[in-house]
């Protein structure tokens, strides 16, 4: 502790160089944190017990192919199944194409049992169930469009040749802003508008227990294996991750970008520290002359490098956490991405990276400087 003032003074001896080094580190670590936060957000799934019990049943070929509604009764008969709710993605437009958000036709009296983490006042839920043209909207969307209960909205069909004239009967809340960025309206109303085709895009299935899930998945797909519309059943988490996989090999891309960023950081810090240590040769000789031991010199010089890297981490990683936890990306993310989640593990990884960079970038030049004798150091002046 008695050397802290000396470490700080030496680290900030050349203020412009130190500040530029810290800023370059901060920018690199900010990018690293942002990329990892983006990947974490894409793969983020609800961690509630209900979310772990939910399955999604869809057509085995693609989501564009529909399933007969009669499948609902067949799935409900499978042992271990607690509840089945049809879910139809509508994909309509509200006023303008840029106002994109999730829209589902479903069964009003079951949807909030299936997604029990969503909360809605009982009177609003009752009103939603009674009104065939009613719709409930997420709190994030209500705030975004300044919607109130009783307002009327129109969803213009793009996938289906019908427009849905709806009256807002309730506003629900959810654990995350993304979950509160959807609207739910009556499947019967959509089915009637479509001329009663009696088909559906997916079924949400809730199992009675986690142990039942593998058996239910096999049973559902086996039940419809020889039908005109074969099914693919998967957990809700696997279903969501399948959308991420549609983006291509994002994991490889992110790993490549991270590797380039880390290599650039290493070059910058190593070059700066090497120059700094060379300039300190005379000082090392003087410190050895007045009695500083080699071990103490090593600790002092490496501590200066670690201090600079730590300040870069504070500005880069903690700055990214502060920015992404306060900036609302709802409009930019189309309702699917309201913020980037900078988790403690990402901050911890950033701190480890900063520590290792400080240690290895300064290690070689510092070791070399500490090994030379006083006479060798003075001859280099």
């Amino acid at each position: 502790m008695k050397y802290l003032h000396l470490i700080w003074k030496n680290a900030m001896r050349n203020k412009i160089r130190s500040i530029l080094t810290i800023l370059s580190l901060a920018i690199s670590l900010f990018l690293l944190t942002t990329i990892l936060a983006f990947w974490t957000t894409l793969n983020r799934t609800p961690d509630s017990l209900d979310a772990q019990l939910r399955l999604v049943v869809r057509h085995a070929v693609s989501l564009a192919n529909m399933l007969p509604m009669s499948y609902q009764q067949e799935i409900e008969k499978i042992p271990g199944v607690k509840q089945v709710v049809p879910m139809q993605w509508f994909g309509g437009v509200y006023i303008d194409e840029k106002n994109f958000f999730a829209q589902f036709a479903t069964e009003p009296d079951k949807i909030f049992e299936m997604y029990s983490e969503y909360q809605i006042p009982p009177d609003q839920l009752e009103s939603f169930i009674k009104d065939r043209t009613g719709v409930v909207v997420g709190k994030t969307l209500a705030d975004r469009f300044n919607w109130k209960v009783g307002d009327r909205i129109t969803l213009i069909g793009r996938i289906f040749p019908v427009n849905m004239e709806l009256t807002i009967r309730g506003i629900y809340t959810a654990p995350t802003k993304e979950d509160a960025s959807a609207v739910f309206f009556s499947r019967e109303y959509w089915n009637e508008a479509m001329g009663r085709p009696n088909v559906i895009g997916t079924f949400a299935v809730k199992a009675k227990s986690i142990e039942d899930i593998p058996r239910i998945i096999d049973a559902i797909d086996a039940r419809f294996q020889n039908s005109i519309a074969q099914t693919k059943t998967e957990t809700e988490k696997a279903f969501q991750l399948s959308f991420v996989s549609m983006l291509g090999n994002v994991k490889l891309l992110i790993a490549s970008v991270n590797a380039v960023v880390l290599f650039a950081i290493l070059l910058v810090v190593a070059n700066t520290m090497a120059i700094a240590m060379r300039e300190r040769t005379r000082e090392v000789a003087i410190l050895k002359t007045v009695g500083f031991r080699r071990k103490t010199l090593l600790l002092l010089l490496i501590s200066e490098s670690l201090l600079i890297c730590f300040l870069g981490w504070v500005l880069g990683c903690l700055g990214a956490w502060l920015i992404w936890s306060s900036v609302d990306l709802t409009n930019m993310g189309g309702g699917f991405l309201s913020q980037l989640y900078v988790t403690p593990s990402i901050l911890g990884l950033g701190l480890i990276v900063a520590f290792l960079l400080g240690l290895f970038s300064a290690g070689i030049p510092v070791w070399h400087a500490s090994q030379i004798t006083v006479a060798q150091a003075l001859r280099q002046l």
Side-chain angles (χ1 to χ4, degrees):
M1 297 294 290
K2 63 181 179 181
Y3 294 120
L4 282 180
H5 181 69
L6 180 61
I7 293 171
W8 173 259
K9 293 291 289 184
N10 284 331
M12 295 297 152
R13 175 179 300 181
N14 189 328
K15 286 187 173 56
I16 294 178
R17 184 171 62 195
S18 298
I19 291 173
L20 290 176
T21 304
I22 292 171
L23 287 178
S24 64
L25 268 170
I27 293 172
S28 300
L29 290 174
F30 179 86
L31 292 175
L32 176 68
T33 304
T34 300
I35 291 171
L36 291 176
F38 179 70
W39 174 251
T40 301
T41 304
L42 284 180
N43 287 276
R44 193 169 183 271
T45 54
D47 50 6
S48 66
L49 177 60
D50 264 15
Q52 297 176 34
L53 293 174
R54 285 196 293 265
L55 304 171
V56 177
V57 181
R58 63 182 176 89
H59 198 287
V61 176
S62 86
L63 281 170
N65 296 68
M66 310 290 273
L67 298 172
M69 269 302 297
S70 58
Y71 280 18
Q72 182 175 5
Q73 288 74 34
E74 297 296 324
I75 296 173
E76 287 174 341
K77 296 175 182 176
I78 293 175
V81 172
K82 182 179 180 180
Q83 188 181 35
V84 182
V85 177
M87 302 283 289
Q88 178 58 56
W89 173 269
F90 183 66
V93 173
Y94 174 66
I95 299 178
D96 191 275
E97 295 279 355
K98 65 181 181 181
N99 297 327
F100 179 80
F101 51 84
Q103 307 149 15
F104 294 98
T106 185
E107 294 184 350
D109 58 333
K110 294 181 178 178
I111 186 65
F112 287 96
E113 292 180 24
M114 175 63 70
Y115 296 90
S116 58
E117 63 268 34
Y118 297 177
Q119 301 296 316
I120 184 173
D123 59 322
Q124 294 183 8
L125 177 59
E126 185 178 354
S127 176
F128 173 48
I129 294 173
K130 290 180 178 177
D131 186 357
R132 192 173 58 90
T133 63
V135 61
V136 291
V137 302
K139 181 70 166 53
T140 303
L141 285 181
D143 294 339
R144 179 182 173 188
F145 297 114
N146 197 26
W147 285 339
K148 301 180 294 297
V149 173
D151 287 353
R152 292 185 61 81
I153 63 174
T154 300
L155 300 179
I156 303 170
R158 284 293 183 267
I159 301 175
F160 305 104
V162 294
N163 298 334
M164 306 306 295
E165 302 281 347
L166 303 165
T167 304
I168 297 176
R169 295 303 180 192
I171 299 173
Y172 74 91
T173 58
T176 65
K177 289 184 177 180
E178 289 84 2
D179 289 338
S181 299
V183 301
F184 299 98
F185 54 90
S186 171
R187 187 200 66 84
E188 277 297 325
Y189 180 39
W190 168 80
N191 192 47
E192 183 180 304
M194 288 288 295
R196 295 193 175 280
N198 293 319
V199 292
I200 200 72
T202 61
F203 291 103
V205 178
K206 182 182 284 186
K208 292 180 180 177
S209 68
I210 292 179
E211 290 74 21
D212 290 327
I213 289 177
R215 187 170 61 254
I216 293 174
I217 291 175
D218 293 340
I220 293 175
D221 291 342
R223 173 66 183 81
F224 304 110
Q225 188 173 14
N226 297 317
S227 65
I228 56 173
Q230 296 181 0
T231 60
K232 180 178 180 180
T233 306
E234 54 197 342
T235 63
E236 184 179 85
K237 181 177 181 179
F239 180 72
Q240 293 176 356
L241 292 179
S242 67
F243 286 95
V244 178
S245 66
M246 292 178 185
L247 299 175
N249 199 341
V250 180
K251 192 173 184 178
L252 176 62
L253 176 63
I254 290 177
S256 302
V257 173
N258 284 342
V260 172
V261 170
L262 290 177
F263 185 67
I265 299 173
L266 183 62
L267 288 180
V268 170
V269 178
N271 181 58
T272 304
M273 295 308 301
I275 294 174
M277 289 304 109
R278 183 175 177 81
E279 294 176 351
R280 305 283 293 280
T281 304
R282 177 182 179 186
E283 182 182 327
V284 169
I286 295 174
L287 290 174
K288 284 188 172 182
T289 303
V290 298
F292 274 80
R293 304 178 66 178
R294 181 177 301 168
K295 181 180 178 182
T296 305
L297 285 173
L298 272 172
L299 290 175
L300 285 174
L301 296 174
I302 289 180
S303 297
E304 293 174 22
S305 173
L306 293 178
L307 176 61
I308 289 175
C309 290
F310 176 74
L311 293 176
W313 174 80
V314 170
L315 287 178
C317 293
L318 294 186
W321 169 74
L322 187 63
I323 290 174
W324 297 129
S325 61
S326 57
V327 173
D328 191 347
L329 301 174
T330 302
N331 291 333
M332 191 183 302
F336 284 105
L337 192 68
S338 60
Q339 69 177 101
L340 296 181
Y341 294 95
V342 181
T343 62
S345 60
I346 294 177
L347 294 178
L349 179 63
L351 185 59
I352 292 174
V353 169
F355 176 80
L356 292 177
L357 283 172
L359 186 65
F360 287 108
S361 61
I364 295 177
V366 167
W367 175 260
H368 177 72
S370 66
Q371 294 298 311
I372 62 175
T373 63
V374 174
Q376 289 173 327
L378 293 176
R379 278 199 296 271
Q380 295 182 17
L381 300 178

